Amino acid sequence: MKFSESWLRTFVNPALSSAELSHLLTMAGLEVEELDPVAPAFDQVVVAQVLEVVKHPDADRLNVCQVDIGSGTPQQIVCGAPNVAPGLKVPCALPGAKLPGDFKIKVAKVRGVESSGMLCSAKELGIAEDASGLMVLPADAPVGNSIRSYLDLDDQLYTLKLTPNRADCLSLTGIAREVAALTGTPATYPAIQSAPVSASASRAVLLEASQACPRYCGRVISSVNAKAATPDWMRRRLERSGLRSISALVDVTNYVLLELGQPLHAFDNAKLNGTVRARMAGAGEQLKLLNEQSVTLAEDVLVIADDSQALAMAGIMGGEASSVTLETTEIFLESAFFAPKAIAGRARRYNFSSDSSHRFERGVDFGNTLNALERATALVLEICGGQAGPVTEALAQLPEHQPVRLRTARVKKVLGVALSADEIAALLGRLALPFTREGDDFIITPPSYRFDMEIEADLIEEVARLHGYDNIPAPAPVGKLAMLPQGEDQRPLFRVRQQMADRGFQEVVNFAFVQEAWEQDFAANTNPILLANPIASQLAVMRSSLIGGLVENLATNLKRKQSRARLFEQGRCFLRDAGATPVPGYYQPWRLAALAYGTAQPEGWGTDGRKVDYFDLKGDLEALLAPAQLSFARLLHPALHPGRAASVSLDGRVIGYIGELHPEWVQKYDLSSAPVLFEIELEAASRARLPAYAEVSKLQPAIRDLAIVVDQQLPLQDLLAGMKKSAQSLVQDIQLFDVYQGKGVPEGKKSLAFRIVMQDTQRTLLDAEIDAALAQITAYLEQNFAAQLRA
């Protein structure tokens, strides 16, 4: 909602500056998004009249003008504007004037002729973009008066960012009503009287869709002069409110829209046929609108029609066929109330919007319908002349605003301010809300222009606004606060994130709602959790894995020619679980996921350009959870390559998975090669192992190598776990250092070589002890894995 301050102050004029008024409105919930001057700063520009124009002796495009500036002595000014002519009244910048852009005017010679000032265009004054000629003022403009005063250029333009519930403030009277309530300043509204009926012409109206249009008023105004000029004061107010002047008849309807908040429409009565009807559109019905857009109307669209065709989309936009033109001599002026649900969303469906639909879909004052018609009639008769016929009205069941109870005790509890019942009554009185009292309770019936008052909380909000949010105390909370201990066995989340960053990963934050295809591709989830009201049609389900978001991030980076990416994300996933809490039926675990793509190391003179692989990311994961020992086992996962994926286990419990992205998804999501990624429970990464003392041996270790031949399909993890479990206490470490298949090893077998480190903290080991420990491990392998010592 955009309006000029000078127009508002004709209704209510509080003793506040522009900035103070802006703050007051914002703190009352009517946020002032912009506050701009009508014109930039300039001075010493007056209304002047051109008395005489002669050609410049040395320039074909210049004229020498004699100009009356109100001083009693004509001034000589050289002017190059093409429209300069004797008798015109135009702005004149006097010597010493300072125009926008720090342009200073002084007495100067132009091609040898002295010029004492400058005749100005609107662009030179910074009030319009038109620079085709001088700004022509009305013939009655007082010569010598300051142009700022004459055109009210010290005015300010307010732009309100209104919430959808405050449709009552989409008009100057609505805003004035708010200012009067907030400041206690009395407001004066336009006097509305019934226009004298001097003609008998009328047109019948019929409500065929009475629920969508419960009230419709109209009247015929004959013998109008559609070519009459719109008064300057009206044109100025419209333009400063963001509406361009079109014609006097259209300007009147727009003016009443801004003044009273009631959209109106004027039909050319000569183009109508029979009864005016408010009905639903027929299947496939066509209508060409005033914006020259032809639309095929759906059956749930309310239209205004006559006996032969649809004339307008009700409450949205009129049709071109019945529009008024400069040749119109008789109009049918419409003022109606359309139910918000009948208008909401219809304009957006056809990819346009209008000031009327913006108001009707939020709720227009149904008690002001006839007043707006009378106000518009009076303006039409004043500006365009004519004769007004009787008002024709069709009325059905209007909305009924139910009484709402407001409890004084509840106000105190919600606001934390001890307002008495009398103080609340005074505040309600300033809002002109009708109420009755039952002790300290108030029974309030919302007026017809307030569609946002339905429950007690709405009224408490009104009390808070009028009392002033600034006046509500904000005491510091009082309580016994204590710093909770941070257990050493827990690692803070910021430290986990910092460790990932230290490993070269960058954190990303993605939406928790994702594409349904991601759930099927990366989690084989055919029954995802659906969103009741998604922000976008493609983001319609809740994620059960973080992988989809990381793959999308990678695809976006590749499109921007980023050849290397290391990304991680921590966040909630959402799964179905009948026994879960705190939300029954849903389980919301925290997960940590990472993705690596491109070269293992950043490009540099000391790197070989090797591509990142499974073992690089496995090392990052082990470093993140160190000193905990992870185990890995072969895994089939819908997101990962069937032969290059593993489950991740900690202390015998699976906490996640790691592997290379499945080739099918690499192709589907336009990746040039497969990234490697992992996803684990965040709780596992947040666990820290407490330090424990262990004596460091000062004695020489005994190191033995053991090579065995086992079945090719036997997992290494099982072998290592068994060897460590069966080994004596003097065995400190077992590591695989070689894998061999080929000559000397039977087909279907593989040779594994382990390095076994044995050491004691108190004494040097004997050869017999070393051999016994090695034999025990060998025996275990032979018995449990059919292993054979390699010759």
Side-chain angles (χ1 to χ4, degrees), residues 259-453:
E259 183 180 68
L260 301 180
Q262 171 67 50
L264 305 170
H265 187 68
F267 298 96
D268 189 326
N269 193 53
K271 299 176 182 178
L272 305 187
N273 179 23
T275 302
V276 173
R277 307 168 186 272
R279 61 170 174 82
M280 306 309 293
E285 191 168 8
Q286 300 282 327
L287 178 64
K288 187 173 183 180
L289 301 172
L290 288 173
N291 63 1
E292 300 184 352
Q293 178 180 349
S294 295
V295 296
T296 300
L297 301 171
E299 294 183 36
D300 64 341
V301 174
L302 182 68
V303 298
I304 303 302
D306 60 12
D307 290 341
S308 59
Q309 63 180 340
L311 304 173
M313 288 178 69
I316 299 175
M317 187 174 290
E320 186 180 75
S322 59
S323 63
V324 297
T325 66
L326 295 180
E327 307 305 321
T328 298
T329 59
E330 188 174 70
I331 65 170
F332 178 74
L333 191 58
E334 164 200 278
S335 179
F337 171 73
F338 302 113
K341 290 183 179 179
I343 307 300
R346 305 309 192 274
R348 290 187 293 277
R349 183 186 302 172
Y350 296 99
N351 297 318
F352 71 90
S353 63
S354 67
D355 290 325
S356 295
S357 65
H358 184 77
R359 286 162 172 80
F360 274 123
E361 64 187 6
R362 287 160 173 76
V364 169
D365 182 5
F366 52 84
N368 207 34
T369 308
L370 187 56
N371 286 338
L373 181 62
E374 295 290 1
R375 173 65 169 158
T377 300
L379 289 172
V380 169
L381 297 179
E382 176 185 341
I383 298 169
C384 301
Q387 298 174 329
V391 173
T392 306
E393 181 177 16
L395 188 64
Q397 182 62 45
L398 291 172
E400 293 184 6
H401 289 176
Q402 299 301 317
V404 182
R405 180 179 292 272
L406 176 64
R407 297 164 291 172
T408 300
R410 184 63 180 169
V411 172
K412 178 181 178 181
K413 184 174 182 180
V414 172
L415 300 184
V417 179
L419 294 174
S420 67
D422 290 340
E423 289 175 313
I424 294 175
L427 294 175
L428 297 176
R430 284 163 54 183
L431 276 174
L433 294 178
F435 64 86
T436 58
R437 291 183 61 168
E438 294 182 1
D440 284 346
D441 292 359
F442 299 84
I443 309 300
I444 301 166
T445 301
S448 58
Y449 53 83
R450 293 301 295 266
F451 283 76
D452 59 322
M453 293 183 181

Side-chain angles (χ1 to χ4, degrees), residues 760-782:
D760 192 279
T761 59
Q762 303 298 323
R763 59 189 178 82
T764 302
L765 297 178
L766 301 177
D767 287 343
E769 293 175 315
I770 296 171
D771 293 341
L774 198 60
Q776 183 173 331
I777 294 174
T778 304
Y780 176 82
L781 294 174
E782 291 173 346

Side-chain angles (χ1 to χ4, degrees), residues 56-375:
H56 192 290
D58 292 328
D60 293 338
R61 296 185 180 181
L62 297 179
N63 296 293
V64 179
C65 307
Q66 298 297 319
V67 180
D68 180 8
I69 61 171
S71 64
T73 303
Q75 300 294 311
Q76 179 174 281
I77 298 177
V78 177
C79 177
N83 64 333
V84 64
L88 284 185
K89 289 188 176 179
V90 295
C92 177
L94 304 178
K98 189 174 182 181
L99 299 184
D102 199 24
F103 183 58
K104 297 179 181 179
I105 304 300
K106 57 185 178 180
V107 177
K109 285 190 176 183
V110 180
R111 294 285 186 95
V113 177
E114 186 174 281
S115 179
S116 301
M118 184 177 80
L119 304 184
C120 303
S121 67
K123 184 174 183 179
E124 288 165 335
L125 297 180
I127 57 179
E129 291 299 320
D130 182 22
S132 59
L134 298 177
M135 180 181 180
V136 180
L137 301 175
D140 60 353
V143 174
N145 275 26
S146 167
I147 198 71
R148 296 196 71 92
S149 174
Y150 176 68
L151 296 179
D152 193 19
L153 297 183
D154 291 321
D155 194 7
Q156 298 286 323
L157 298 182
Y158 289 74
T159 302
L160 300 187
K161 187 178 181 181
L162 296 173
T163 52
N165 64 315
R166 293 311 306 271
D168 59 300
C169 291
L170 287 169
S171 66
L172 268 295
T173 54
I175 298 169
R177 186 167 49 232
E178 281 290 305
V179 173
L182 293 168
T183 62
T185 305
T188 303
Y189 304 109
I192 299 176
Q193 298 177 348
S194 298
V197 176
S198 55
S200 59
S202 66
R203 189 170 292 278
V205 297
L206 180 63
L207 302 181
E208 295 182 5
S210 58
Q211 288 187 338
C213 176
R215 188 175 193 182
Y216 191 96
C217 302
R219 78 176 342 147
V220 175
I221 305 178
S222 307
S223 303
V224 297
N225 177 17
K227 297 180 181 179
T230 302
D232 289 336
W233 60 267
M234 180 180 288
R235 182 186 295 110
R236 188 179 306 136
R237 289 178 177 179
L238 290 174
E239 291 174 349
R240 292 182 183 181
S241 298
L243 299 179
R244 63 185 179 91
S245 176
I246 299 174
S247 68
L249 292 174
V250 176
D251 290 350
V252 165
T253 61
N254 286 335
Y255 183 82
V256 175
L257 167 76
L258 295 172
E259 183 180 68
L260 301 180
Q262 171 67 50
L264 305 170
H265 187 68
F267 298 96
D268 189 326
N269 193 53
K271 299 176 182 178
L272 305 187
N273 179 23
T275 302
V276 173
R277 307 168 186 272
R279 61 170 174 82
M280 306 309 293
E285 191 168 8
Q286 300 282 327
L287 178 64
K288 187 173 183 180
L289 301 172
L290 288 173
N291 63 1
E292 300 184 352
Q293 178 180 349
S294 295
V295 296
T296 300
L297 301 171
E299 294 183 36
D300 64 341
V301 174
L302 182 68
V303 298
I304 303 302
D306 60 12
D307 290 341
S308 59
Q309 63 180 340
L311 304 173
M313 288 178 69
I316 299 175
M317 187 174 290
E320 186 180 75
S322 59
S323 63
V324 297
T325 66
L326 295 180
E327 307 305 321
T328 298
T329 59
E330 188 174 70
I331 65 170
F332 178 74
L333 191 58
E334 164 200 278
S335 179
F337 171 73
F338 302 113
K341 290 183 179 179
I343 307 300
R346 305 309 192 274
R348 290 187 293 277
R349 183 186 302 172
Y350 296 99
N351 297 318
F352 71 90
S353 63
S354 67
D355 290 325
S356 295
S357 65
H358 184 77
R359 286 162 172 80
F360 274 123
E361 64 187 6
R362 287 160 173 76
V364 169
D365 182 5
F366 52 84
N368 207 34
T369 308
L370 187 56
N371 286 338
L373 181 62
E374 295 290 1
R375 173 65 169 158

Side-chain angles (χ1 to χ4, degrees), residues 580-654:
T581 55
V583 182
Y586 300 99
Y587 175 48
Q588 305 174 37
W590 283 93
R591 300 270 180 83
L592 173 68
L595 176 147
Y597 178 90
T599 58
Q601 297 292 332
E603 184 178 357
W605 66 268
T607 60
D608 57 4
R610 179 180 64 83
K611 296 292 185 181
V612 68
D613 59 21
Y614 166 87
F615 296 100
D616 293 310
L617 195 64
K618 178 173 177 284
D620 291 326
L621 179 58
E622 289 176 324
L624 176 66
L625 273 69
Q629 295 295 313
L630 301 178
S631 59
F632 302 85
R634 181 175 296 178
L635 173 70
L636 288 177
H637 190 279
L640 304 179
H641 191 295
R644 301 173 186 174
S647 63
V648 182
S649 298
L650 176 64
D651 297 334
R653 186 175 68 87
V654 176

Side-chain angles (χ1 to χ4, degrees), residues 452-469:
D452 59 322
M453 293 183 181
E454 296 181 340
I455 58 177
E456 186 178 29
D458 298 329
L459 297 173
I460 295 175
E461 180 185 7
E462 294 301 301
V463 172
R465 289 193 316 111
L466 287 188
H467 178 68
Y469 293 124

